[in-house]
Amino acid sequence: MKNKNQSQKKMLVIFATITLITIGIVSNCGCVGKNKNTIKIEGAFALTPMMEKWASEYRKIHPEINIDIISNGAGQGMADALLGIADIGMVSREINNTEIQQGVFFVSVVKDAVVATINTNNPVIEEILRKGVTKQQFIDVFITRNITTWGQLVGNESLSNDRIVVYTRSDSCGAAETWAKYLGKYKQNDLINAADSAVNGDNTLAATIQREKFGIGFNNIGYVYTKKLADGTVLPADNIIPVPIDLNENGVLDENENVYANRSTIITAINNYVYPSPPARALHLVTLHNYTGIVKDFVYWILTGGQQYVLDAGYVPLPPETITAQIGYLESGTRPEIER
């Protein structure tokens, strides 16, 4: 009898130990409730300010939902969404066929644009603002480097022999892909290969141009128009200004091409297709295979109630018929590009 009691005690000790270890493992790994009330979002700098606004407003009506947002570039957002590390990837470029074949599912949620940027103390700033810059001139600056001084760019080398210092992005990003696509059949690597320097992140590139008198780069408009006045007008930040595009290439920036005064004027130009596309483009939310659960609910809200915040946040709404199509894709879990 004594041996039997000892065996029972040993079994109880073993059972209790296993139970405690199991509870400990589950607690330490965070598996209890993991993702139940949390949405993890990563990706494009271009979409981050908009997503932060959406997350803030959504949590007012769903305080039980946590939304973690990491701004680390469209490439990383896409990669982590495909790996299932992120619930949502923010992507500011076109989705390619390879990513679709890997199982990505996406919906378009808003529109934005990339602009070339220079320092306001640039030696030929008045000429640039009077004449604008043609696409071919941008190609000669960013890709071929056939234009190397600021005087060459405005067609008067006596104005400035200062060398143009070209900056681009080092992180895999939609802004660089979009700017390269605007210039022609180029990729981000073409910009990197030709540039004097490549920096990580939209905000870092904007800060670099603010410091560099002879620099030229490009940014999403949300990182250029950041100076808010009391009347609500949003101007370019100090020491940085968009480079106007001479769309009809007549050597003069015509009144209809002068759309860069403040955030509202360029948003209107994007909305009216005056500012070309690219470098204007739709921004996307991607995930692996399909949206489900609280993540799907959040994306649905973005496409419905969340659209009321788009203009105030400095973005351009997609046409109503486009939004309706995205809701259909979200609800059905597929879209034409994926069916092909």
Side-chain angles (χ1 to χ4, degrees):
M1 181 64 73
K2 184 177 180 179
N3 291 337
K4 183 178 180 180
N5 289 338
Q6 286 177 337
S7 296
Q8 288 177 336
K9 286 180 181 179
K10 286 183 179 178
M11 290 298 295
L12 287 171
V13 169
I14 292 171
F15 177 77
T17 301
I18 292 173
T19 302
L20 289 171
I21 290 173
T22 302
I23 292 172
I25 291 172
V26 170
S27 299
N28 289 333
C29 77
C31 295
V32 175
K34 184 178 181 181
N35 292 333
K36 183 178 180 182
N37 295 314
T38 299
I39 301 172
K40 185 176 180 181
I41 304 171
E42 296 185 28
F45 288 86
L47 197 45
T48 299
M50 185 72 257
M51 184 57 74
E52 289 173 342
K53 177 63 177 177
W54 278 330
S56 174
E57 296 298 330
Y58 189 72
R59 292 203 71 248
K60 290 177 182 177
I61 52 179
H62 292 284
E64 76 282 6
I65 303 298
N66 299 310
I67 301 176
D68 295 334
I69 304 170
I70 300 174
S71 183
N72 54 8
Q76 192 64 49
M78 173 64 79
D80 286 351
L82 286 172
L83 289 172
I85 297 173
D87 297 304
I88 297 173
M90 301 181 288
V91 178
S92 53
R93 56 165 172 74
E94 291 185 355
I95 312 299
N96 62 51
N97 287 333
T98 300
E99 292 160 344
I100 290 174
Q101 291 167 3
Q102 290 174 331
V104 74
F105 178 79
F106 65 100
V107 293
S108 308
V109 290
V110 74
K111 197 172 182 181
D112 191 18
V114 178
V115 292
T117 53
I118 57 174
N119 188 287
T120 51
N121 296 312
N122 184 284
V124 295
I125 184 75
E126 292 183 4
E127 285 292 297
I128 288 176
L129 296 181
R130 184 176 67 81
K131 301 174 68 172
V133 175
T134 67
K135 179 188 288 188
Q136 184 58 53
Q137 288 175 313
F138 280 127
I139 294 170
D140 288 338
V141 170
F142 281 97
I143 300 293
T144 66
R145 303 302 298 266
N146 288 334
I147 294 177
T148 58
T149 72
W150 288 104
Q152 276 183 289
L153 179 60
V154 298
N156 187 347
E157 296 190 44
S158 66
L159 285 178
S160 172
N161 289 319
D162 295 310
R163 184 174 177 273
I164 300 173
V165 183
V166 179
Y167 292 92
T168 188
R169 293 274 294 277
S170 60
D171 52 311
S172 176
C173 67
E177 286 289 335
T178 301
W179 186 245
K181 185 177 179 181
Y182 165 65
L183 299 180
K185 295 180 179 179
Y186 301 107
K187 299 291 184 181
Q188 180 172 357
N189 281 342
D190 296 309
L191 293 171
I192 292 175
N193 292 337
D196 293 290
S197 181
V199 301
N200 185 16
D202 219 330
N203 44 3
T204 306
L205 184 48
T208 300
I209 297 301
Q210 287 179 288
R211 293 193 306 269
E212 175 56 74
K213 180 179 177 180
F214 304 119
I216 188 169
F218 53 85
N219 281 105
N220 292 297
I221 61 174
Y223 291 83
V224 177
Y225 294 88
T226 60
K227 187 175 182 178
K228 297 180 181 178
L229 304 182
D231 64 359
T233 304
V234 184
L235 303 175
D238 292 338
N239 295 333
I240 189 171
I241 190 169
V243 181
I245 302 176
D246 179 9
L247 296 169
N248 60 10
E249 303 188 355
N250 67 348
V252 177
L253 192 69
D254 298 319
E255 184 176 351
N256 66 314
E257 296 171 327
N258 193 3
V259 298
Y260 307 87
N262 57 60
R263 194 175 70 181
S264 178
T265 58
I266 192 167
I267 286 175
T268 300
I270 297 167
N271 196 37
N272 293 336
Y273 297 95
V274 172
Y275 193 76
S277 179
R281 82 294 201 201
L283 307 179
H284 316 287
L285 301 182
V286 307
T287 194
L288 183 61
H289 299 312
N290 195 4
Y291 287 107
T292 59
I294 62 170
V295 182
K296 183 176 181 177
D297 292 342
F298 178 51
V299 175
Y300 181 83
W301 177 85
I302 287 174
L303 291 169
T304 53
Q307 289 295 303
Q308 65 184 295
Y309 304 106
V310 169
L311 279 174
D312 286 344
Y315 292 77
V316 179
L318 293 169
E321 59 271 23
T322 302
I323 290 293
T324 299
Q326 307 310 303
I327 293 172
Y329 300 149
L330 178 71
E331 291 179 335
S332 67
T334 188
R335 56 183 300 144
E337 296 90 338
I338 295 174
E339 288 178 343
R340 286 199 300 269

